């Protein structure tokens, strides 16, 4: 097997396992990419299920790695957690002219851009759906037959749409405060319009509610949304996902959490429960 050129940025013992940060040249984005992986302690030769975590606007792999409070739960459950970056990075990668937080660097929206100048590098869909899983399967003790996916905000949008477009790949899907319908919010108008162009029909494969309306399904779903989230009414619109799942008959626990906002204080409060919920599905059968 051809050796994969992966650089170890750091590896640190935590909760009996190893928290690592790694870099590699990406064919999908044409840039160097960085991701983090937590591998729990395990008997030699044992492969463990994988939980993907996709981060939100402005974030890198580091946000959840440093603030997500997932390692104790992953160690107890015997689950690997993989956290990729949210967009390509580098001096030659185009960015929003106004350096806005919701487009360009840090805001890849997990799409494969079709518009210039974004199309050359902004291919996070291909990176997360294809390239990075192949790399993870090659160099980590990952059982790729047992995968779950979760994410926050823009990353929740990514988790939902990736799972809906890849039926059978993920045994479990969850999200924290996801953008459920980019077709119906300002963040989506800006990002999908910029990356994909004005044809809104092309946006549907990147909209969870539209994918469900078009026939895509999830095996099960857990969503937590803070009621004090300042983005809830205008950007996140959780009620649209509630309606889409109910109409499609998708088993979904979509929970409104009183007093919680959009921050990692919210995410870390429910992270262990999400990990345990995923583990229940990933270790079954």
């Amino acid at each position: 097997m051809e050796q994969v050129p992966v650089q170890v940025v750091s590896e640190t013992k935590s909760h009996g396992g190893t928290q690592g940060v790694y870099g590699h040249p990406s064919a999908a984005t044409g840039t160097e990419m960085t991701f983090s992986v937590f591998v729990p302690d395990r008997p030699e030769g044992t492969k463990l299920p994988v939980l993907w975590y996709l981060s939100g606007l402005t974030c890198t792999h580091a946000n959840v790695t440093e603030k997500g409070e997932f390692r104790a739960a992953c160690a107890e459950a015997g689950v690997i957690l993989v956290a990729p970056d949210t967009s390509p990075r580098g001096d030659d990668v185009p960015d929003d002219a106004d350096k806005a937080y919701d487009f360009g660097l840090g805001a890849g929206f997990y799409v494969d851009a079709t518009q210039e100048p974004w199309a050359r590098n902004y291919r996070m869909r291909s990176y997360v759906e294809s390239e990075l899983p192949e790399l993870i399967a090659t160099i980590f003790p990952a059982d790729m037959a047992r995968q779950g996916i979760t994410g926050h905000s823009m990353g929740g949008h990514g988790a939902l749409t990736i799972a809906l477009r890849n039926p059978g790949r993920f045994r479990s899907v969850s999200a924290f405060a996801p953008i459920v319908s980019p077709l119906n919010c300002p963040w989506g108008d800006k990002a999908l319009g910029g990356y994909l162009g004005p044809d809104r029909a092309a946006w549907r494969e990147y909209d969870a509610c539209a994918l469900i309306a078009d026939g895509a399904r999830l095996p099960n779903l857990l969503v937590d949304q803070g009621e004090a989230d300042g983005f809830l009414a205008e950007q996140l619109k959780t009620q649209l996902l509630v309606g889409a799942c109910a109409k499609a008959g998708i088993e979904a626990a979509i929970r409104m959490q009183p007093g919680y906002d959009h921050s990692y204080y919210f995410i870390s409060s429910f992270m262990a429960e999400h990990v345990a919920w995923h583990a229940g599905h990933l270790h079954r059968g």
Side-chain angles (χ1 to χ4, degrees):
M1 181 179 297
E2 182 179 353
Q3 186 173 359
V4 179
V6 173
Q7 173 193 4
V8 178
V9 178
S10 65
E11 288 186 333
T12 306
K13 189 175 180 67
S14 180
H15 292 279
T18 301
Q19 176 63 65
V21 177
Y22 307 91
H24 73 110
S26 167
T29 68
T31 67
E32 291 290 324
M33 295 295 292
T34 303
F35 62 94
S36 75
V37 181
F38 176 70
V39 180
D41 187 29
R42 71 204 186 285
E44 187 169 349
T46 301
K47 289 192 173 185
L48 299 178
V50 177
L51 177 59
W52 295 86
Y53 179 93
L54 305 184
S55 293
L57 286 166
T58 77
C59 293
T60 71
H61 70 281
N63 296 76
V64 69
T65 305
E66 296 170 2
K67 297 186 287 188
E69 300 183 23
F70 57 84
R71 277 173 286 272
C74 285
E76 180 178 355
V79 172
I80 293 170
L81 190 137
V82 179
D85 202 346
T86 55
S87 75
R89 310 273 176 178
D91 293 340
D92 296 331
V93 175
D95 193 9
D96 183 75
D98 298 323
K99 305 295 183 183
Y101 76 94
D102 55 356
F103 192 77
L105 296 181
F109 263 82
Y110 305 98
V111 306
D112 278 357
T114 59
Q115 304 299 299
E116 297 300 335
W118 318 106
R120 178 168 59 91
N121 302 119
Y122 284 77
R123 299 181 54 78
M124 292 302 296
R125 172 180 178 173
S126 290
Y127 181 70
V128 173
E129 283 189 356
S130 300
E131 183 178 15
L132 188 56
E134 291 175 8
L135 188 153
I136 295 297
T138 300
I139 65 174
F140 292 95
D143 182 352
M144 303 304 280
R146 295 183 291 161
Q147 296 185 71
I149 191 167
T150 187
H152 171 232
S153 193
M154 179 184 73
H157 140 78
L160 293 172
T161 55
I162 288 170
L164 286 162
R165 288 194 306 264
N166 292 275
R169 179 181 294 191
F170 301 99
R171 294 191 181 186
S172 52
V173 184
S174 77
F176 302 90
I179 303 169
V180 306
S181 185
L183 278 160
N184 292 289
C185 72
W187 279 341
D189 283 342
K190 183 174 182 178
L192 299 189
Y195 294 134
L196 304 176
D199 180 7
R200 293 174 67 87
W203 301 10
R204 294 186 68 84
E205 62 185 316
Y206 296 108
D207 183 298
C209 292
L211 284 164
I212 292 170
D214 292 344
R217 296 293 180 263
L218 296 171
N220 43 67
L221 176 63
L222 171 64
V223 173
D224 278 306
Q225 171 63 59
E227 288 186 351
D229 189 325
F231 300 115
L232 175 57
E234 184 179 28
Q235 304 283 12
L236 306 177
K237 301 191 175 182
T238 308
Q239 76 279 3
L240 297 180
L241 183 63
V242 173
C245 288
K247 186 174 182 179
I250 294 174
E251 181 180 345
I254 302 176
R255 311 184 304 190
M256 303 302 297
Q257 301 292 355
Y260 284 94
D261 62 12
H262 199 68
S263 72
Y264 269 87
Y265 295 111
F266 156 63
I267 298 166
S268 63
S269 297
F270 299 97
M271 178 65 85
E273 188 176 349
H274 278 238
V275 170
W277 180 84
H278 282 277
H281 294 285
L282 296 174
H283 286 295
R284 185 178 300 161

